[in-house]
Amino acid sequence: MRVMAKSSSVALLVVLLYFRMVVGYRPVLLMHGIADNYKSMEGMVTFIKDAHPGTPVYNIDAFNDADSFLKMWDQVDGVQKKISPIISNATDGVNLICYSQGGMVCRGFIEAFPDHNVKSFISLSSPQAGQFGDTDYLDFFLPNFTRDNVYRFCFSEVGQYVSFCDYWNDPLHQSEYEKCSDFLYPLNSGKQPDYKSNFMTVEELVLIGGPDDGVITPWQSSHFGFYDDKLDVQPYQSQGFYISDAFGLKTLDEEGRIHVYNISGVEHTHWHTNKTVFDLCIEPWLK
Ligand SMILES: *[C@@H]1O[C@H](CO)[C@@H](O)[C@H](O)[C@H]1NC(C)=O
Ligand SMILES: *[C@@H]1O[C@H](CO)[C@@H](O)[C@H](O)[C@H]1NC(C)=O
Ligand SMILES: *[C@@H]1O[C@H](CO)[C@@H](O)[C@H](O)[C@H]1NC(C)=O
Ligand SMILES: *[C@@H]1O[C@H](CO)[C@@H](O)[C@H](O)[C@H]1NC(C)=O
């Protein structure tokens, strides 16, 4: 009797293991940040493969280094072409982990392409409500501009050819932003109804960021928070695009599909290499 019970539980275990291997985990796609390349995400590939052996992981080798400064819509289109064979092959959908600017590329892809099948969209320290703060690359490329006047360059036709201008937001120059921003403003304003329906097909929206980031400004932009016109940061629930449910953020929130992680002690350049961050905020959403 005992022997039989034991062997049948071993058999059950074998069946369960086999089932897990057959069902497997959804493919995961990774997109790197600005002034960087796909190799920067290799540590993340290892984290995923160690946690969930057998997961197909596609580390998107596109818009590396200097190319990461190209216009955001061009990056979105290039990434779409690159990943479309993968996503159309993934009948059960895919998960995306997109770091920093990569989170904006992924956001553009999700909103603009109706046939995406993204289940978990993991936005790892990405300025989803915009960036309004100095960065090294701003100082390097536009040394004659400051945070307060760079809108004159960024909110121009020429400026919109530079990736970081495409998600620049200036709380004190909202009319120029609305007129000239051809990436972030369309994504956040919901002026195109299909952007909202495309965005809302994402099952889980995972927003990771924290107060020690040092690059994303305000850091709460990683959670869709942003400055008001007095330069006080307001949470995502107070943003106009949330209140009007412009692109589905409010619906997702009401349905419990937004997962916000506020993590201290992580500088911007460490998010994608931090195992604690992976274990705590990312692994649970890779199903
Ligand atoms: C599509 O899926 C098939 C079967 O699972 C696999 O052999 C093939 O490599 C996949 N193609 C791509 C582009 O992922
Ligand atoms: C930038 O500022 C420097 C010093 O103020 C000046 O010499 C230079 O001509 C300026 N360049 C442009 C492109 O305005
Ligand atoms: C995030 O965490 C920090 C430190 O733990 C805390 O001071 C801050 O109020 C939190 N902010 C939000 C928006 O949750
Ligand atoms: C890794 O993340 C944890 C929080 O999850 C943080 O306390 C720690 O300082 C981080 N380490 C580095 C090197 O960023």
Side-chain angles (χ1 to χ4, degrees):
M1 262 316 264
R2 267 190 84 82
V3 172
M4 244 179 78
K6 197 169 169 197
S7 66
S8 66
S9 63
V10 167
L12 181 64
L13 189 65
V14 168
V15 167
L16 284 176
L17 279 175
Y18 179 73
F19 189 69
R20 183 73 258 181
M21 281 165 68
V22 168
V23 172
Y25 292 93
R26 291 193 176 102
V28 181
L29 287 80
L30 308 180
M31 185 63 201
H32 65 82
I34 195 170
D36 217 334
N37 57 55
Y38 74 101
K39 290 188 185 139
S40 65
M41 301 299 281
E42 275 168 3
M44 183 67 72
V45 174
T46 306
F47 292 160
I48 299 165
K49 295 222 172 231
D50 287 351
H52 299 163
T55 304
V57 183
Y58 302 91
N59 189 4
I60 302 170
D61 176 5
F63 301 99
N64 297 311
D65 306 311
D67 287 351
S68 69
F69 290 92
L70 295 174
K71 189 172 177 60
M72 289 298 283
W73 279 125
D74 291 347
Q75 297 198 40
V76 171
D77 288 343
V79 163
Q80 192 271 340
K81 285 195 184 77
K82 193 135 200 152
I83 69 179
S84 85
I86 298 163
I87 65 166
S88 57
N89 213 19
T91 46
D92 191 33
V94 299
N95 295 320
L96 298 186
I97 303 173
C98 311
Y99 166 56
S100 194
Q101 176 179 281
M104 307 312 292
V105 174
C106 293
R107 176 99 186 285
F109 166 70
I110 288 170
E111 288 201 25
F113 289 94
D115 51 357
H116 82 74
N117 55 3
V118 176
K119 300 299 176 185
S120 294
F121 170 30
I122 300 167
S123 167
L124 184 57
S125 191
S126 303
Q128 296 291 349
Q131 169 77 8
F132 185 60
D134 270 320
T135 54
D136 291 347
Y137 47 81
L138 190 77
D139 294 341
F140 181 78
F141 286 109
L142 302 170
N144 286 18
F145 287 101
T146 63
R147 179 196 76 166
D148 295 322
N149 66 21
V150 75
Y151 77 91
R152 289 189 209 144
F153 173 77
C154 279
F155 299 156
S156 71
E157 212 175 311
V158 172
Q160 291 289 305
Y161 278 92
V162 180
S163 69
F164 59 80
C165 284
D166 291 346
Y167 47 86
W168 188 258
N169 193 352
D170 186 327
L172 305 177
H173 296 94
Q174 286 291 287
S175 61
E176 292 91 335
Y177 164 69
E178 292 178 14
K179 195 163 149 263
C180 293
S181 170
D182 72 7
F183 183 74
L184 187 66
Y185 181 66
L187 289 183
N188 279 351
S189 65
K191 291 245 154 43
Q192 256 175 278
D194 54 326
Y195 283 12
K196 179 174 181 175
S197 51
N198 295 344
F199 187 70
M200 288 192 351
T201 64
V202 167
E203 281 177 7
E204 312 293 345
L205 173 62
V206 182
L207 301 172
I208 306 167
D212 302 312
D213 185 277
V215 170
I216 303 301
T217 315
W219 69 266
Q220 291 91 338
S221 184
S222 57
H223 299 158
F224 280 102
F226 204 65
Y227 294 116
D228 62 18
D229 60 6
K230 297 186 176 58
L231 297 187
D232 293 324
V233 177
Q234 303 299 337
Y236 71 86
Q237 297 92 337
S238 305
Q239 304 300 321
F241 55 69
Y242 179 89
I243 294 163
S244 67
D245 204 20
F247 57 95
L249 197 63
K250 189 178 180 195
T251 303
L252 258 58
D253 198 24
E254 286 169 353
E255 293 176 359
R257 290 153 63 193
I258 304 186
H259 314 283
V260 176
Y261 291 93
N262 173 9
I263 308 290
S264 302
V266 186
E267 289 173 29
H268 188 67
T269 51
H270 292 166
W271 287 105
H272 54 315
T273 54
N274 187 312
K275 181 71 162 48
T276 319
V277 170
F278 174 80
D279 291 341
L280 191 70
C281 324
I282 297 177
E283 189 276 338
W285 305 107
L286 301 178
K287 296 178 203 159

